[in-house]
Amino acid sequence: MATSLEQLRRCHFAVDLGAARTRVYVKGVGIVVDQPSVAAVNTRNGALIAVGELAERMTGRTPGHIRVVRPVSGGTVVDIEMAQRMLRHLLGEEMRRTLRRKPRLRAAACTPHDADPLAQRATVETLLGLGARRVELVDTLIAAAVGCGLPVERAEATMIMVCGAAATQVAVLSLGSIVNAERIPVGGEAIDHAIVQHLRQAHSLVLPSQSVRPLQLALSDDGLTPNGPASTEIHGRDVATGLARSVRVDTAAVRKAVQAPLTAVLDGLYRVLRECPPDLVADLADRGIMMVGGSALLPGLDQMLREATGMPAHIAEQPELCAVQGLGAMLEGRIEPLILDPLGA
């Protein structure tokens, strides 16, 4: 990590390309972009019509010649050209002009844990297209742990869970490195899909695409726990008639519907703990799990983790910004490198 930190301090800006949102940190300025990873394109001439929040509001509301696309899926760039165009418009002409003045412009970016070489290359190519001469890649788990203030450089265990839109990443860290980690292909979108399917099958109700996230309509107060409200009213479209309709939904049934994806997350967490040395697991019994990412705010998820593992579970302050804030801390030199010098004879 020492070499990486020295290289990161030479970078001028950092990008966290997430499936749900894109965030950009500029050295000496701070976070300059925090927008949905969405773009709207005119299919007739290929023109980019909107990006970010405006494009997201267009989802499900566009005529046939306008297509809303997401160039990032699961933290991996799936459409390099569209991702470059989206980033250019999100940054704006003035900020791009400022970055172009930097000699030998360098960039940093988050990549999911165990991302394959093709996924890493796609991220690098995206930022090279913005004018960067060199791109440094940082594991999202390390960046998020630094961003939420975990003492990753110490000889003691810390556990982080990055709850993303398309995947959940779990890791145990010690001495500035990942001891054991796992990437589970289940995130907030899978939980949303489980609720949509339940409402369609049990109530013949179709929800608008933007009514599901982040589940406040179906789960509130204590959320996943039985202490929440017994029922809640949800508005949607009837499958048979196509007319608007409201139904009162039993929240216990909703909780049962989301158990399948949540069980997959718990299984991944158990696997990480089983493969860790006992001394590190003993540290975690007191320190617990730090939850970051937008899906960490799912009501009741932290309490469910406490009951399932017997360990404390904490939600970071501003959990959705931890990864980009961690990158920013590395760029600004606020993290001291861990140097393990060999002992003399």
Side-chain angles (χ1 to χ4, degrees):
M1 191 172 174
T3 304
S4 299
L5 282 173
E6 291 302 321
Q7 293 172 347
L8 286 167
R9 287 177 179 177
R10 301 191 186 104
C11 293
H12 301 97
F13 73 103
V15 179
D16 177 19
L17 276 168
R21 297 184 75 87
T22 292
R23 299 175 177 93
V24 180
Y25 185 102
V26 175
K27 191 173 184 178
V29 180
I31 298 175
V32 297
V33 172
D34 182 4
Q35 293 279 338
S37 304
V38 188
V41 185
N42 187 327
T43 58
R44 293 172 179 169
N45 54 21
L48 197 62
I49 296 173
V51 295
E53 291 179 354
L54 178 57
E56 188 173 54
R57 288 199 297 270
M58 292 181 180
T59 303
R61 298 182 172 91
T62 58
H65 68 282
I66 296 178
R67 186 166 59 98
V68 176
V69 297
R70 293 182 176 270
V72 184
S73 176
T76 300
V77 178
V78 294
D79 187 336
I80 295 175
E81 181 185 357
M82 187 56 65
Q84 290 174 348
R85 296 173 69 185
M86 180 186 74
L87 277 171
R88 289 192 195 102
H89 283 80
L90 289 176
L91 280 169
E93 183 61 35
E94 184 177 348
M95 182 56 67
R96 295 208 316 275
R97 193 181 302 116
T98 301
L99 291 174
R100 282 197 297 266
R101 295 195 191 104
K102 306 288 185 183
R104 294 192 60 82
L105 182 66
R106 291 177 177 235
C110 287
T111 55
H113 181 69
D114 282 346
D116 59 69
L118 284 177
Q120 295 179 0
R121 187 62 191 172
T123 302
V124 171
E125 290 290 341
T126 299
L127 297 187
L128 291 177
L130 292 178
R133 301 288 296 276
R134 183 184 175 97
V135 180
E136 306 291 345
L137 299 179
V138 181
D139 195 305
T140 302
L141 291 164
I142 295 289
V146 170
C148 65
L150 289 179
V152 295
E153 74 284 354
R154 297 181 188 173
E156 56 188 48
T158 55
M159 190 170 199
I160 187 163
M161 175 182 281
V162 180
C163 308
T168 301
Q169 302 174 68
V170 185
V172 174
L173 311 173
S174 182
L175 289 174
S177 300
I178 295 174
V179 177
N180 192 26
E182 183 154 341
R183 185 166 178 258
I184 306 132
V186 175
E189 291 176 353
I191 298 172
D192 293 348
H193 181 69
I195 289 185
V196 169
Q197 289 298 104
H198 166 72
L199 293 175
R200 187 183 186 96
Q201 294 170 4
H203 301 279
S204 298
L205 193 74
V206 178
L207 289 184
S209 58
Q210 298 180 29
S211 296
V212 186
R213 181 172 300 273
L215 310 180
Q216 270 88 356
L217 287 176
L219 301 171
S220 57
D221 296 335
D222 294 307
L224 300 176
T225 67
N227 301 324
S231 63
T232 185
E233 189 173 8
I234 295 185
H235 309 282
R237 179 169 61 86
D238 189 276
V239 172
T241 66
L243 300 176
R245 185 162 64 92
S246 298
V247 297
R248 183 153 289 277
V249 177
D250 181 11
T251 53
V254 176
R255 286 196 299 271
K256 185 178 180 180
V258 302
Q259 284 306 310
L262 291 176
T263 298
V265 173
L266 288 177
D267 289 343
L269 189 149
Y270 292 148
R271 285 193 294 271
V272 171
L273 290 173
R274 279 198 302 268
E275 296 173 10
C276 276
D279 291 342
L280 294 183
V281 177
D283 290 343
L284 296 174
D286 296 326
R287 189 178 297 276
I289 307 166
M290 180 63 74
M291 300 166 60
V292 304
S295 298
L297 298 173
L298 177 66
L301 180 58
D302 54 340
Q303 184 172 340
M304 188 194 74
L305 289 177
R306 292 188 198 103
E307 294 173 354
T309 63
M311 298 190 302
H314 315 282
I315 300 176
E317 185 178 352
Q318 294 184 306
E320 66 279 4
L321 298 179
C322 287
V324 73
Q325 287 175 341
L327 286 175
M330 296 177 189
L331 264 62
E332 303 285 2
R334 295 197 295 266
I335 306 298
E336 290 298 324
L338 176 68
I339 301 176
L340 298 176
D341 293 324
L343 298 176

